[in-house]
């Protein structure tokens, strides 16, 4: 990272924190789709956000200037940073009263960055990236197509992270325009952000996925291998959109932050104890990370007629899993690679005795992964209730297990309760069940050739292991 750049400063501030930032590599076509999706959500709102952008060069701003005239009508203030060149300041959008240009010096590291920061009370979003240097491209050399240019960074909806980055951007702007920086600080301090509602996040995620799919469909790259790389980068970000949506649901639960990652650790360990295949454990882990999406009811914006094709496993006439739509889980089906995940989440509320929802499946007719997920989620829920009562770890684990045992053979598969008992014995004897936080910026870690019919490879991008335990 370039010293003094906004990206480098953000990384440095989190380097030794409990929540280090995980960056990924993004192609230009992916960033265009992401930024357009996040920007266009502004046009549907009346929350007058503060918008700060960096376009590298003025010519890139000129390509978006007409769009930004529309965005300005819905924004409180827009600041555009870019190295000045022909036409940058002369475009009509640049003359609008709530649009300010900051002409960056050619040696300014921010002139190599691509940023979009949106800050309003009920909608925060950010793309922050830095273009790879010629050395970073390595032996493959510089790209011949503009769409194949690569950037290092991240995108997120997290309010605190967006606020922090806005502050860094304002500090940078102060070196050029102190008065503008003071005004931006006043705007920022007047905005009291909170985590967006589930329905709002679902709407933004729908737009992100749709724009990425459109970008995928419109690719025209002469070399097939390059086409495949660009395609997979877009798919990775579609998956990231859902993971970030689940992450916000977790953050919005002030009493139980991190529930999804805790459940993911339990299901992964149970899968290992049951000796189920590695690819299935990976799929189960992803379902656990996304399982709280299944509880959302107002996500119709994610489901359109074009997405509801008849090739879902649940809708096939020969399959016993036909069921009414569960909006949160159904939303995942707009991505073919997530249909199996949607099935797992849909049936996590079935009961072993057949009295559950949504279809009243019983016994082994309930998908195994759904049964594991259901039990693990309840176990973690019980742990989170007991740990505030001042009990020891051993007591908490045993009492949480007892609550699950009381529903053995009614709600839960008795064999799986026995497996959970083995896990609890291990925890009581000192087993450290680490909570693994997925490196969301590497969304392709979940892809597997067994459920990606379009790929013969078994690509895996590593996850980042954060020290932590289910308890505490």
């Amino acid at each position: 990272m370039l010293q003094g750049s906004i990206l480098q400063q953000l990384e440095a501030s989190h380097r030794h924190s409990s929540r280090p930032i995980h960056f990924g590599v993004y192609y230009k076509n992916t960033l265009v789709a992401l930024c357009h999706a996040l920007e266009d959500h502004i046009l549907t709102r009346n929350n007058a956000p503060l918008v700060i952008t960096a376009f590298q060069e003025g010519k890139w701003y000129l390509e978006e200037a007409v769009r930004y005239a529309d965005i300005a009508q819905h924004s409180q203030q827009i600041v555009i940073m870019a190295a000045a060149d022909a036409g940058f300041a002369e475009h009509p959008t640049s003359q609008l009263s709530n649009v300010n240009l900051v002409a960056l010096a050619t040696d300014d590291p921010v002139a190599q960055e691509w940023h979009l920061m949106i800050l309003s009370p009920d909608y925060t979003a950010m793309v922050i990236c830095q273009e790879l240097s010629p050395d970073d491209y390595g032996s493959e050399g510089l790209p011949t197509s503009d769409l194949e240019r690569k950037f290092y960074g991240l995108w997120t909806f997290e309010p605190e992270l967006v606020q922090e980055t806005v502050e860094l951007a304002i500090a940078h702007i102060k070196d050029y325009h102190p008065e503008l920086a003071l005004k931006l600080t006043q705007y920022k301090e007047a905005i009291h952000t909170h985590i967006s509602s589930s329905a709002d996040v679902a709407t933004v995620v729908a737009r992100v996925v749709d724009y990425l799919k459109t970008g995928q469909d419109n690719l025209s790259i002469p070399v097939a291998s390059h086409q495949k790389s660009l395609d997979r980068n877009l798919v990775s970000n579609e998956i990231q959109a859902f993971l970030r949506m689940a992450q916000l649901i977790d953050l919005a639960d002030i009493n139980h932050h991190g529930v999804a990652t805790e459940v993911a650790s339990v299901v992964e360990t149970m899968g290992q104890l049951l000796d189920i295949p590695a690819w299935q454990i990976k799929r189960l882990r992803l379902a656990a990370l996304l399982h709280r999406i299944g509880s959302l009811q107002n996500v119709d914006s994610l489901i359109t007629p074009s997405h509801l094709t008849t090739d879902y496993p649940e809708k096939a006439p020969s399959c016993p899993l036909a069921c009414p739509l569960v909006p949160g889980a159904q939303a995942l089906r707009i991505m073919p690679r997530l249909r199996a995940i949607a099935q797992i989440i849909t049936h996590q509320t079935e009961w072993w005795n057949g009295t559950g929802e949504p279809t009243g499946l019983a016994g082994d007719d309930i998908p195994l992964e759904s049964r594991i997920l259901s039990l693990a989620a309840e176990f973690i829920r019980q742990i989170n209730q007991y740990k505030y009562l001042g009990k020891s770890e051993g007591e908490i684990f045993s009492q949480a297990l007892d609550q699950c045992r009381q529903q053995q053979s009614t709600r839960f598969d008795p064999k799986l309760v026995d497996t959970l008992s083995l896990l609890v014995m291990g925890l009581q004897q000192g087993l450290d069940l680490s909570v693994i936080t997925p490196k969301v910026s590497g969304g392709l870690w979940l892809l597997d050739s067994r459920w990606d019919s379009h790929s013969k490879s078994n690509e895996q991008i590593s996850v980042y292991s954060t020290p932590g335990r289910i308890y505490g």
Side-chain angles (χ1 to χ4, degrees):
M1 295 185 200
L2 296 175
Q3 190 66 29
S5 66
I6 294 174
L7 189 72
Q8 183 270 328
Q9 294 178 63
L10 184 65
E11 186 278 331
S13 68
H14 286 261
R15 189 176 302 159
H16 302 296
S17 71
S18 59
R19 290 188 65 197
I21 297 176
H22 308 308
F23 298 104
V25 175
Y26 303 87
Y27 287 97
K28 179 180 176 179
N29 68 315
T30 301
L31 292 180
V32 170
L34 277 172
C35 288
H36 284 182
L38 299 178
E39 290 163 350
D40 282 3
H41 191 65
I42 296 173
L43 305 178
T44 69
R45 312 288 294 173
N46 293 313
N47 49 18
L50 169 62
V51 180
I52 299 178
T53 68
F55 278 99
Q56 295 184 288
E57 300 176 19
K59 65 179 181 179
W60 304 124
Y61 159 69
L62 290 177
E63 291 185 2
E64 305 291 331
V66 174
R67 282 173 49 79
Y68 267 77
D70 294 333
I71 294 170
Q73 295 181 27
H74 296 264
S75 302
Q76 180 175 210
Q77 188 73 35
I78 294 178
V79 178
I80 297 165
M81 296 183 283
D85 53 18
F88 176 49
E90 288 74 28
H91 192 279
T93 300
S94 305
Q95 313 304 316
L96 297 175
S97 61
N98 63 335
V99 175
N100 283 275
L101 302 182
V102 176
L104 302 175
T106 54
D107 60 349
D108 189 328
V110 178
Q112 301 302 317
E113 295 188 302
W114 181 342
H115 301 326
L116 169 65
M117 308 166 206
I118 302 169
L119 186 67
S120 71
D122 58 358
Y123 176 48
T124 59
M126 175 175 73
V127 173
I128 174 168
C129 293
Q130 187 174 111
E131 185 160 15
L132 269 61
S133 69
D135 290 340
D136 291 328
Y137 282 98
S139 59
E140 65 183 34
L142 293 172
T144 56
S145 167
D146 186 56
L147 290 178
E148 295 178 86
R149 290 165 56 205
K150 295 178 182 178
F151 294 77
Y152 184 68
L154 83 157
W155 65 279
T156 184
F157 296 117
E158 292 183 66
E160 291 183 2
L161 202 55
V162 176
Q163 280 186 310
E164 180 182 354
T165 311
V166 165
E167 291 171 2
L168 292 173
I170 292 174
H172 197 82
I173 291 168
K174 185 177 180 180
D175 293 337
Y176 292 91
H177 296 296
E179 293 183 2
L180 175 59
L182 177 61
K183 183 168 67 171
L184 295 175
T185 298
Q186 293 171 345
Y187 285 144
K188 182 191 71 66
E189 292 178 349
I191 296 173
H192 302 287
T193 62
H194 57 80
I195 295 176
S196 303
S197 70
S198 298
D200 284 341
V201 174
T203 300
V204 181
V205 167
R207 185 172 283 110
V208 168
V209 173
D210 281 344
Y211 282 39
L212 288 168
K213 283 185 177 295
T214 300
Q216 191 175 4
D217 294 340
N218 291 339
L219 284 178
S220 179
I221 306 299
V223 181
S225 60
H226 292 176
Q227 170 85 33
K228 182 177 180 180
S229 296
L230 289 164
D231 179 88
R232 290 178 71 79
N233 196 252
L234 287 163
V235 170
S236 174
N237 280 275
E238 292 174 32
I239 296 166
Q240 285 182 50
F242 286 111
L243 286 169
R244 294 184 191 284
M245 180 177 173
Q247 183 183 52
L248 279 188
I249 294 171
D250 244 17
L251 289 173
D253 187 344
I254 60 175
N255 295 318
H256 300 134
H257 286 327
V259 165
T261 51
E262 292 171 352
V263 173
S265 293
V266 172
V267 301
E268 187 168 26
T269 306
M270 289 184 66
Q272 292 166 353
L273 290 172
L274 292 165
D275 199 27
I276 64 177
W279 65 268
Q280 197 171 12
I281 291 177
K282 185 165 62 172
R283 186 169 72 179
L284 179 56
R285 175 171 166 70
L286 178 62
L289 291 171
L290 297 174
H291 81 279
R292 301 184 86 181
I293 288 179
S295 64
L296 299 181
Q297 297 301 316
N298 299 315
V299 292
D300 291 341
S301 58
L302 279 169
I303 307 170
T304 64
S306 62
H307 295 136
L308 299 181
T309 60
T310 58
D311 56 349
Y312 302 141
E314 289 87 343
K315 298 176 77 67
S318 60
C319 180
L321 299 181
C323 64
L325 300 184
V326 176
Q330 191 70 5
L332 299 174
R333 293 188 175 92
I334 65 177
M335 282 192 67
R337 291 172 178 84
L338 293 184
R339 290 175 188 169
I341 303 300
Q343 175 179 300
I344 296 168
I345 293 173
T346 292
H347 297 288
Q348 67 177 314
T349 50
E350 306 284 3
W351 282 38
W352 182 255
N353 64 6
T355 62
E357 296 178 343
T359 60
L361 295 178
D364 291 332
D365 286 340
I366 306 169
L368 173 61
E369 292 135 308
S370 300
R371 284 178 268 152
I372 296 173
L373 177 58
S374 175
L375 179 57
E378 177 61 19
F379 178 63
I380 289 299
R381 191 182 75 82
Q382 293 293 339
I383 284 178
N384 282 323
Q385 288 188 343
Y386 282 120
K387 74 180 181 181
Y388 294 109
L389 301 179
K391 298 180 181 294
S392 68
E393 286 190 32
E395 289 178 312
I396 289 173
F397 292 143
S398 62
Q399 291 182 14
L401 176 61
D402 285 343
Q403 291 297 320
C404 295
R405 278 178 173 159
Q406 290 177 21
Q407 301 179 77
Q408 189 171 6
S409 299
T410 54
R411 180 179 177 186
F412 300 124
D413 180 342
K415 301 183 295 296
L416 294 182
V417 175
D418 291 341
T419 303
L420 181 62
S421 299
L422 291 175
L423 173 57
V424 170
M425 286 176 59
L427 292 171
Q428 291 172 328
Q429 294 173 14
L431 172 66
D432 187 2
L433 194 60
S434 295
V435 174
I436 308 296
T437 302
K439 186 177 179 182
V440 176
S441 58
L444 282 176
W445 66 271
L446 64 91
L447 292 184
D448 189 283
S449 58
R450 288 178 179 265
W451 38 300
D452 177 10
S453 60
H454 301 290
S455 174
K456 298 300 182 183
S457 66
N458 186 17
E459 178 175 351
Q460 297 184 32
I461 296 179
S462 64
V463 296
Y464 183 90
S465 177
T466 305
R469 299 187 63 189
I470 284 184
Y471 174 79

